[in-house]
């Protein structure tokens, strides 16, 4: 994962589970700070905008490093545990020096106060920066970089209208991390296989370029499908037993709901992950419970009603295999 133009998170190869993460900060350079949303718990706090060229630096690294193998040397580790070092593209230090590439494009400045003259790599960073300045690249170009600052929106006014206006056309986007179940006290509690499912999704989609089809917006929550050249992540999660189908949202899915049902059935049959203890249901209802005569007493909504049996007992009956439109607010 690329946090900014001078900080990345790396992981080793998985061995029996998600590998540990490690943050590496690039030595001797500084890129602009990314925008940050104000803490919701602090009413007086304000959103922090991008610094000039911060987003372009982060995008430069994202496109260059995501999904790639890198080599790094840790030069400094602070008392707080922050690690600073050099990162190279590839298996060894003969690969592209990432810090040099950033400085060469004018996306980062050199921290010259920490440069030692007897270190050839550090001295070269200064030479590369001088060349970028002379060429007026990136932050050294005329204009100050105000045009590189994003106009960030953290909320969408009238999300239902926004979804309808897309007319289910693919929208370009990128993927952020899924989160765990959040308890009332704010503590995140991982459910069974949550960490593995998160890693499964992250390793395939995190910070990748994708297209999103916005399908629906029930209760101000946007539902959508992710389109990726390598396959449908929803189908893969179901097939590997990391997820289950949710009936109420399947009705608005336009990319082939039966494929998702089939993927879930495959996981159930193989009893993988969340289905490891799955037992197929058996039809053990008596005929009198399957077929009966009753009087409709209340229509709850278009697919549910309350009926009264001849015995005087009341039952709520839900129509199977359909999902009608919901009334606003339900």
């Amino acid at each position: 994962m690329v946090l900014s133009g001078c900080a990345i998170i790396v992981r080793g190869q998985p061995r029996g589970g998600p590998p540990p993460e490690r943050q590496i900060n690039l030595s001797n350079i500084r890129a602009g700070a990314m925008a940050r949303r104000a803490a919701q718990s602090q009413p007086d706090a304000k959103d922090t905008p991008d610094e000039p060229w911060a987003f372009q630096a982060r995008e430069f690294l994202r496109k260059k490093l995501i999904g790639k193998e890198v080599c790094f040397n840790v030069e400094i580790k602070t008392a707080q545990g922050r690690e600073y070092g050099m990162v190279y593209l590839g298996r060894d230090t003969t690969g592209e020096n990432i810090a040099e590439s950033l400085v060469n494009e004018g996306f980062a400045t050199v921290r010259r106060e920490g440069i030692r003259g007897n270190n050839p790599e550090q001295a070269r960073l200064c030479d590369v920066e001088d060349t970028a300045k002379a060429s007026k690249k990136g932050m050294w170009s005329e204009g100050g970089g105000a045009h590189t600052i994003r106009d960030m929106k953290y909320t969408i006014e009238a999300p239902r209208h926004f979804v309808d206006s897309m007319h289910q056309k693919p929208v370009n986007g990128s993927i952020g991390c899924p989160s765990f179940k959040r308890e009332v006290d704010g503590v995140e509690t991982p459910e069974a296989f949550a960490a593995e499912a998160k890693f499964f999704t992250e390793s395939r989609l995190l910070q990748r370029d994708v297209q999103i089809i916005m399908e629906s917006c029930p209760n101000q929550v946007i539902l959508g499908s992710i389109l990726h050249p390598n396959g449908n992540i929803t189908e893969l999660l179901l097939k590997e037993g990391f997820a289950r189908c949710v009936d109420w949202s399947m009705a608005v899915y336009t990319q082939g709901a039966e494929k998702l049902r089939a993927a879930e059935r495959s996981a159930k049959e193989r009893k993988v992950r969340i289905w490891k203890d799955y037992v197929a249901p058996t039809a053990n209802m008596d005929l009198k419970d399957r077929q009966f005569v009753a009087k409709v007493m209340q229509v709850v909504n278009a697919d549910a009603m309350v009926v009264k049996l001849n015995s005087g007992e009341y039952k709520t009956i839900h129509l199977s295999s359909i999902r009608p439109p919901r009334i606003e607010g339900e």
Side-chain angles (χ1 to χ4, degrees):
M1 182 177 179
V2 177
L3 301 177
S4 69
C6 55
I8 64 174
I9 291 179
V10 297
R11 270 177 161 168
Q13 293 297 321
R15 292 183 176 86
E21 295 180 345
R22 189 171 180 179
Q23 179 175 330
I24 305 297
N25 304 281
L26 297 178
S27 296
N28 306 310
I29 69 168
R30 181 189 182 280
M34 298 286 291
R36 296 187 66 179
R37 187 178 186 180
Q40 301 300 296
S41 58
Q42 302 175 11
D44 296 332
K46 295 183 178 180
D47 297 338
T48 304
D50 286 332
E51 292 185 358
W53 298 98
F55 179 69
Q56 287 69 23
R58 203 283 302 271
E59 283 294 276
F60 178 80
L61 283 193
R62 182 181 70 84
K63 294 177 180 179
K64 186 176 288 290
L65 296 182
I66 287 297
K68 304 292 180 61
E69 191 172 28
V70 298
C71 169
F72 61 89
N73 294 328
V74 175
E75 298 177 339
I76 300 173
K77 186 171 183 178
T78 68
Q80 294 75 30
R82 289 174 65 88
E83 294 181 313
Y84 293 83
M86 304 298 288
V87 177
Y88 304 87
L89 192 59
R91 291 176 173 269
D92 53 46
T93 57
T94 62
E96 178 182 348
N97 184 314
I98 299 303
E100 280 189 16
S101 296
L102 281 162
V103 173
N104 181 62
E105 295 297 326
F107 292 143
T109 58
V110 178
R111 297 179 183 269
R112 298 195 177 224
E113 66 277 9
I115 297 297
R116 297 188 297 272
N118 61 350
N119 187 314
E121 282 195 331
Q122 293 180 347
R124 176 167 169 72
L125 278 176
C126 295
D127 294 337
V128 171
E129 184 180 52
D130 291 339
T131 301
K133 287 181 180 179
S135 301
K136 297 184 177 181
K137 299 176 72 174
M139 64 179 64
W140 309 115
S141 60
E142 298 178 356
H147 65 287
T148 67
I149 300 175
R150 296 172 296 168
D151 181 16
M152 298 293 293
K153 304 291 185 185
Y154 295 102
T155 58
I156 298 176
E157 297 290 340
R160 184 185 296 274
H161 174 73
F162 174 73
V163 171
D164 292 342
S165 69
M166 295 294 103
H167 303 295
Q168 294 191 335
K169 295 179 181 178
V171 179
N172 293 329
S174 60
I175 302 299
C177 291
S179 61
F180 291 177
K181 179 181 178 182
R182 188 177 293 275
E183 303 294 347
V184 177
D185 58 3
V187 177
E188 288 189 343
T189 304
E191 297 178 353
F193 302 102
E196 292 87 344
K198 183 172 181 284
F199 175 68
F200 185 88
T201 303
E202 282 183 346
S203 61
R204 289 160 175 78
L205 293 185
L206 184 59
Q207 290 195 323
R208 310 295 177 104
D209 290 324
V210 298
Q211 288 190 317
I212 302 168
I213 293 181
M214 299 182 191
E215 312 259 21
S216 182
C217 185
N219 298 323
Q220 308 300 301
V221 177
I222 296 177
L223 300 180
S225 301
I226 298 171
L227 306 182
H228 188 279
N230 292 340
N232 186 329
I233 189 64
T234 306
E235 189 174 337
L236 287 174
L237 286 166
L238 288 167
K239 186 175 182 180
E240 294 300 321
F242 285 123
R244 54 172 53 86
C245 291
V246 179
D247 290 336
W248 67 266
S249 65
M250 293 285 282
V252 301
Y253 184 73
T254 61
Q255 305 302 304
E258 184 50 41
K259 290 183 179 179
L260 303 188
R261 298 285 189 193
E264 184 185 60
R265 283 196 299 270
S266 173
K268 288 178 177 178
E269 291 168 358
R270 292 179 289 119
K271 295 188 176 183
V272 294
R273 299 184 175 90
I274 66 173
W275 303 112
K276 60 185 179 66
D277 299 320
Y278 174 73
V279 177
T282 56
N284 55 5
M285 293 177 63
D286 292 337
L287 181 60
K288 64 181 179 64
D289 294 323
R290 289 171 173 268
Q291 184 175 342
F292 52 84
V293 176
K295 182 178 181 180
V296 176
M297 304 301 293
Q298 179 187 356
V299 175
V300 180
N301 54 45
D303 66 344
M305 64 196 72
V306 177
V307 300
K308 182 180 180 181
L309 306 182
N310 292 334
S311 63
E313 179 186 359
Y314 287 83
K315 279 190 175 183
T316 301
I317 307 297
H318 297 269
L319 302 181
S320 62
S321 305
I322 68 167
R323 182 187 183 279
R326 297 296 185 190
I327 298 173
E328 186 75 28
E330 284 190 349

